[in-house]
Amino acid sequence: MATESKTAVWVRTIVIAVGGMVFLFPFVWMVSTSLTTTGELFRLPPQLIPNPVDGSAYERLFTQVPILRWVLNSVVVSLAVTFLQVMTSAMAAYAFTRLSFRGRNAIFVLFLATLMVPFQVMVVPLFIELRYMGMLDSYAGLIIPEMAMPFGVFLLRQAFLGLPRELEEAAFMDGAGHVRNFLTLVLPLSKPAIATVAVFSFMGSWNNFLWPLIIINSPDLMTLPLGLSSLSSRFVTDWNLVLAGATISVLPIVAVFLFAQRYVLQGVAMSGLKG
């Protein structure tokens, strides 16, 4: 029985290792190509380890391309969207779990139904609306349409339902209102779930390409995905330059996830979304 258990552990470890290598290979290939000379890009057979290693693509990226401006735009937009989505999701989740009003469950179901509506369906109405509001080609046009996150409301609602009501009832008896209860009890007790929503929100905003492509015309307002797409031309593409930019764009996502990984796992467990 012990032998079978050890064998199962080894099999599981090997499967996980192979799966990790499969998922990691595209990122390794991206970094490898970004360090490959232009003459070696289309060499057959291709080499995973570039020889010679050439970092000129990164040098050209910072000297010939406004990469720092694109990164700054993405940071501003992503942080603003993350903050707004976390706050709106938390407030809506609190209302759905702690406030009693007519049609609460029906409204929540209707709210969740918006998850089934593809963003592409809303692009044209959003564009027309923002044009009349004078928000095209602006930070506000990038941020405001993304300030609500239905999945965040669902995840935080599940987390709030698992919080002990006794603490809140004691706070109400001491004279606390819903605002104080929300800020001093519910939010601090839900840090893992809030961190999970923040990570998903930041990743979605950082990688967003379609909406900036539609609404942004000025090169000074391009986000990083939109700016990197401009490096590809119709006839000739400098692939090591493009993949050097892609490598830089991945680094913040990796850093955010590694920083919040523990909270993400706790948040998923709190929200009852375990497999």
Side-chain angles (χ1 to χ4, degrees):
M1 195 67 181
T3 304
E4 293 178 357
S5 178
K6 186 178 297 186
T7 302
V9 171
W10 275 104
V11 171
R12 183 168 63 251
T13 302
I14 293 173
V15 171
I16 293 175
V18 172
M21 292 175 61
V22 170
F23 282 104
L24 188 63
F25 180 77
F27 297 100
V28 175
W29 188 263
M30 175 181 66
V31 176
S32 173
T33 304
S34 70
L35 296 173
T36 302
T37 61
T38 304
E40 296 289 324
L41 281 177
F42 302 102
R43 178 180 177 179
L44 294 176
Q47 291 184 333
L48 182 62
I49 301 176
N51 185 23
V53 177
D54 181 23
S56 62
Y58 291 91
E59 180 181 355
R60 287 185 289 124
L61 193 66
F62 285 96
T63 56
Q64 302 176 11
V65 177
I67 183 71
L68 294 179
R69 181 66 186 183
W70 297 343
V71 171
L72 177 62
N73 291 336
S74 289
V75 168
V76 170
V77 172
S78 298
L79 290 180
V81 168
T82 300
F83 175 78
L84 291 174
Q85 287 191 357
V86 169
M87 290 306 300
T88 56
S89 297
M91 290 187 290
Y94 184 86
F96 282 126
T97 55
R98 297 298 190 267
L99 303 181
S100 297
F101 53 90
R102 182 176 298 178
R104 182 180 65 176
N105 294 333
I107 294 175
F108 180 69
V109 172
L110 183 63
F111 193 76
L112 284 184
T114 61
L115 289 171
M116 297 184 290
V117 180
F119 180 74
Q120 292 81 354
V121 175
M122 300 182 290
V123 163
V124 174
L126 275 176
F127 182 86
I128 296 174
E129 182 179 357
L130 293 184
R131 185 185 65 180
Y132 280 111
M133 298 174 66
M135 292 185 181
L136 296 182
D137 201 24
S138 66
Y139 281 128
L142 288 170
I143 295 171
I144 291 178
E146 301 288 335
M147 65 185 297
M149 184 184 184
F151 177 74
V153 176
F154 169 73
L155 193 146
L156 290 181
R157 176 183 177 272
Q158 298 301 108
F160 292 174
L161 287 174
L163 296 179
R165 295 291 186 97
E166 291 78 9
L167 293 176
E168 299 176 49
E169 292 173 357
F172 284 132
M173 292 181 64
D174 289 338
H178 283 292
V179 174
R180 183 179 176 184
N181 192 31
F182 173 71
L183 295 176
T184 61
L185 283 178
V186 175
L187 291 185
L189 292 174
S190 305
K191 285 182 180 179
I194 292 173
T196 303
V197 174
V199 169
F200 287 159
S201 175
F202 184 86
M203 292 175 61
S205 178
W206 184 269
N207 293 323
N208 193 6
F209 173 74
L210 177 61
W211 184 241
L213 175 65
I214 294 172
I215 200 173
I216 295 300
N217 294 320
S218 173
D220 291 335
L221 292 175
M222 283 186 175
T223 57
L224 190 55
L226 184 58
L228 292 179
S229 71
S230 68
L231 299 179
S232 301
S233 63
R234 182 176 180 181
F235 300 104
V236 179
T237 299
D238 196 345
W239 288 110
N240 48 4
L241 182 66
V242 172
L243 292 179
T247 301
I248 292 176
S249 71
V250 169
L251 295 180
I253 296 295
V254 175
V256 168
F257 182 77
L258 291 178
F259 174 77
Q261 181 181 15
R262 176 168 60 92
Y263 297 103
V264 170
L265 296 177
Q266 292 178 3
V268 171
M270 280 183 60
S271 305
L273 299 179
K274 295 181 290 184

